[in-house]
Amino acid sequence: MLIFTPLLLASTSALFPTHLRCEYLANPIGIDDSAPRLTWIDESDQRGARQSAYRITVSSADSTAHNADLWDSGKVTSNKSSQIEYGGKALMAGQRAYWRVQIWDGNGDSQSSRPAFWELGLPKLSDWHAKWIALPTTANDPLDIPAPLLRKSFTADKPVKRARAYVSAKGLFNLYVDGQKIGKALLTPGWTDYKKRIQYETYDVTRQVQQGSHGLGILLGNGWYCGHIGLTGGNNYGKFPEVLVQLEVEYTDGTKSEVVTDGSWKAKPSAILSDDLLMGETYDARLETRGWSNAKFNDSQWSKVEVRELDAVPLVADQAPPIESIEEIHAKRLIPQTIAGVYVYDLGQNMVGWARLKVHGPAGTKIQLRFAEMLSPNKSVYTTNLRGAKATDNYTLSGKGTEVFEPSFTSHGFRYVEITGFPGTPGLDAITGVVVGSNNPQTGTFTCSNKLVNQLQHNIYWGERGNYLSIPTDCPQRDERLGWMGDAQIFVRTACFNNDVAAFMTKWTQDVVDAQSPEGGFSDVSPRKGDSSDGAPAWGDAGVIVPYTVYLCYGDTRLLARRYPAMRKWVEYIDSVNPNHIWVNRSNNNFGDWLNVNDDTPRDVIGTAYFAYSTDLLARSARILGKTEDVEHYEKLRSQIGEAFRSQFVADDVKIKADTQTDYVLALRFGLLEDSQREAAAKRLVDHIMIDRKGHLSTGFVGVGYLNPTLNAIGRPDVAYRLLLNDTYPSWGYSIRQGATTIWERWDGWTEKGGFQDPGMNSFNHYSLGSVGEWMYNRVAGIDLDPTVPGYEKIVIRPTPGGDLTWASGALDSIHGRIESKWKLNGKQMTLDVLIPANTTATIWVPATNLASVTEGGKAASGVRGLDYVRQESGCVVFAATSGRYHFVSTMK
Ligand code: BGC
């Protein structure tokens, strides 16, 4: 990580470039794109600072990046600071490029960044000289065989300049050099449809591979490749794991050598007797092979490996943030149990990962760990809702001193850990929770004066943290853990606030395209599960909504362009079989408003609303990408669907088919009504909530995401706050009152009256109902984007104080820099503190009676530099603002 200290870069310029990133990553190695995009953040402490031009220089050997032998963009008159495609000489496999950017401010003064770099991986199959290798076996089930160890010794016989290891697996791997695990990444290389593409990882092993003899080792697990995957059992892509290693060593004299997996490697079963993501891991420490990945290890007794040639399946660089151990949680308490020898730990947080066990005892002692999200009434672990996922780790002691066990190739969703077989009485420190997930950098924070709402934000955040594990999963604990598309799309906007998920979603939207059927059907889960049917309304539509949302939140036009053909094919797929524009044919599993509260929205309403929505986003995408014919065609189609919706579902009195909350929410949110019908629909929605449901929501996964945004848009934030602050069933607060530390799958996962819901489907860590997070950021705290200038290049600050909140505070580290919005009430007086990053502009809605009642920095707002009065609307004074810090004080009605 480079640290940029503006003070060291003395200059008169008001702007300096920081946070240099390539494809969303800081100094990545192993990038596949020949034209990766470069991004930086303009920083300034001056109001209104704007970049007027930039110049990027890229160098092959000069680490200061002054000698631009690869590319010199020249001085480009532009305020663009993100997503700039590299336009220089093609890099060779493994080649590093050093880059820096010089930027000019409005006065023509300039400032240069510190250098950064990226490095190409092995983008072409022909760059690979390694072969797939595996431990030979006659077993039938991967769970019947121990995880293999594979090894080879080699010598670097000259001084080494640099060394890189490129590693992929059909399965999961850990790489070792001379006994040391390389890198912090876990569960590599992640989940893709291994029949369509397989990711590889790149490691800088220069420090480990210096002149001399070395041992190279691989521990290989089953993972998603051949272990159990939700709802399908095991062996989904192949029977046993295989690995591919290519170690490239460059010597100081300019020569190179390679160590690759081939028939010269040796293999042997490890001490991991079985491993599975859903079932857990069994480890016998007595079977450990000491020094197995060291240079001098004698492997003459080990088996030869099985060798398979590379086939045509593309190997692609893993360009998303790695799965890592993010945090550790100490056990909070030990819960007394009725059965002797059984201990249950409470970590105080429903989390995803595993437990680290610390133990001392006689060789051969067997310890069992089981994991659960909840406790049964008798305080034992409640595991019924895990269904077929055994989620059990077993450890047999070696008897050598204090032993520490952590599994390698499994993960669990849990708050409670049950230990059986511990020698003696375990202390609180025998168990530590290791929190594991895709380490997408945190970008958002939200806090306010209400404790319940803060807990809600906490629960939403932890839901995202645990369920974004290589792909966005529905849940982390039961035998499911699939990339459910409906869940992913309804939550994605919230996700983009909490964390930088651009690279993560770039990868996953490729999985979504890989899962598209030849007819154009996206799937319900991506990667697709076997030969499952195509996607349902609101589920399959994720293939359109997610790329569009990433475009909006990160200004990623290239992703939109790359996904556009698949998005178009999806809309065509629906259109071609629904000539009346009512989506009933090919609506596949049609889940409806999943898990609503006795308020079931008709399937054709949801289908048609989503058909309109996807077509709308497609038309918008076509416009952004300059596809004029498509714009016309899909705008027309969109209006035909709207007409069909109204004539089929909307009565003269504007009652919409089944009169559910979601009926009205979708019609209002997706713009499916005539202007003249909106008021009546809005009134009916509010009455449904306030009268029929006595101030409660009844929406399921689909409706919930748009509920509070719609209430805000129709001018009823008071009703949105009512729902936010409820703690009676059904509400977010209800689960919090029951002690929830993550979002539950169901509004009634556990109730005082009924106890646990149907264990057939009752997860306590499912982020879908947490999609209200988006509204908390953009209307409670007030940080939003302007879709006409995406990626927060034009920001909207629009807080809506309400409920009993006396203050709220949001921050977002956007691709253009840090945005803050913090408001505080004191009677009718409101203060609003705003930070708009340099090189962006904003529209700021200050809640106020009129312009005269607003001051900024202690002066009448009307005269302040950088602020222009625009209009008065909806109880706010609207300003156009340049970048900088603003401190508003206003009087509200
Ligand atoms: C999953 C959901 C998913 C749903 C489809 C469930 O089993 O857990 O989150 O969206 O099926 O209706």
Side-chain angles (χ1 to χ4, degrees), residues 447-645:
T447 45
C448 70
S449 56
N450 184 300
K451 266 175 77 180
L452 180 121
V453 180
N454 290 340
Q455 184 68 40
L456 174 59
Q457 166 61 19
H458 171 99
N459 294 4
I460 295 170
Y461 192 83
W462 275 82
E464 176 172 340
R465 174 179 262 191
N467 278 299
Y468 276 23
L469 188 110
S470 186
I471 61 155
T473 62
D474 57 335
C475 59
Q477 71 298 83
R478 66 174 178 235
D479 56 349
E480 189 144 9
R481 313 186 194 181
L482 296 166
W484 279 101
M485 303 263 285
D487 310 42
Q489 67 87 357
I490 205 71
F491 189 72
V492 63
R493 190 67 180 267
T494 299
C496 291
F497 277 108
N498 285 329
N499 294 305
D500 175 357
V501 299
F504 178 86
M505 283 301 179
T506 299
K507 182 265 179 193
W508 185 65
T509 52
Q510 180 63 58
D511 296 334
V512 170
V513 174
D514 286 345
Q516 192 170 32
S517 68
E519 295 75 39
F522 286 127
S523 47
D524 280 331
V525 296
S526 295
R528 193 184 273 255
K529 182 171 62 83
D531 53 4
S532 57
S533 67
D534 289 341
W539 269 253
D541 293 290
V544 175
I545 298 164
V546 175
Y548 188 78
T549 305
V550 173
Y551 159 78
L552 280 184
C553 295
Y554 304 95
D556 197 333
T557 315
R558 188 163 91 181
L559 182 74
L560 197 64
R562 288 188 175 170
R563 302 295 178 251
Y564 185 83
M567 293 159 65
R568 189 173 183 274
K569 213 169 153 191
W570 167 247
V571 170
E572 286 298 317
Y573 163 93
I574 305 160
D575 188 33
S576 62
V577 292
N578 293 290
N580 302 329
H581 303 119
I582 298 295
W583 184 4
V584 284
N585 298 315
R586 275 189 178 161
S587 58
N588 306 316
N589 284 323
N590 217 343
F591 301 108
D593 191 13
W594 192 246
L595 301 178
N596 65 81
V597 187
N598 301 323
D599 195 26
D600 205 11
T601 304
R603 304 297 197 260
D604 49 0
V605 171
I606 293 184
T608 307
Y610 265 89
F611 182 20
Y613 184 41
S614 276
T615 306
D616 181 42
L617 298 186
L618 185 69
R620 287 171 196 268
S621 304
R623 187 178 291 284
I624 292 152
L625 300 171
K627 298 179 187 292
T628 329
E629 276 176 30
D630 281 7
V631 176
E632 229 172 87
H633 177 78
Y634 293 110
E635 279 182 351
K636 186 164 160 230
L637 176 60
R638 164 64 186 76
S639 88
Q640 288 166 336
I641 303 168
E643 277 163 33
F645 184 93

Side-chain angles (χ1 to χ4, degrees), residues 203-220:
Y203 301 96
D204 181 350
V205 287
T206 311
R207 203 164 42 79
Q208 291 84 2
V209 182
Q210 286 295 308
Q211 182 173 13
S213 296
H214 302 283
L216 202 52
I218 290 284
L219 171 64
L220 195 54

Side-chain angles (χ1 to χ4, degrees), residues 29 93-94 119 122 127-131 133 151-157 160-168 173 175-178 180 182 200-218 243-251 255-262 265 293 295:
I29 62 171
E119 200 176 284
L122 302 182
D127 297 324
W128 288 88
H129 313 125
K131 294 175 178 164
I133 60 167
R151 72 168 313 281
K152 183 185 168 82
S153 294
F154 68 96
T155 303
D157 50 14
V160 172
K161 185 171 164 213
R162 65 169 225 169
R164 294 287 180 274
Y166 304 96
V167 186
S168 181
F173 73 85
L175 168 71
Y176 301 83
V177 176
D178 301 333
Q180 183 196 340
I182 303 299
Y200 68 87
E201 309 295 328
T202 302
Y203 301 96
D204 181 350
V205 287
T206 311
R207 203 164 42 79
Q208 291 84 2
V209 182
Q210 286 295 308
Q211 182 173 13
S213 296
H214 302 283
L216 202 52
I218 290 284
V243 68
L244 189 69
V245 181
Q246 184 155 317
L247 174 75
E248 300 197 349
V249 185
E250 196 182 320
Y251 299 99
T255 58
K256 291 182 180 173
S257 70
E258 267 184 5
V259 181
V260 297
T261 41
D262 57 18
W265 284 57
S293 71

Side-chain angles (χ1 to χ4, degrees), residues 101-151:
V101 61
Q102 181 181 9
I103 58 171
W104 282 262
D105 64 13
N107 299 324
D109 293 322
S110 83
Q111 179 85 266
S112 230
S113 72
R114 295 277 181 87
F117 61 82
W118 82 90
E119 200 176 284
L120 213 64
L122 302 182
K124 295 196 291 287
L125 261 185
S126 57
D127 297 324
W128 288 88
H129 313 125
K131 294 175 178 164
W132 292 106
I133 60 167
L135 172 74
T137 174
T138 50
N140 255 329
D141 185 336
L143 288 188
D144 289 344
I145 61 153
L149 298 173
L150 302 109
R151 72 168 313 281

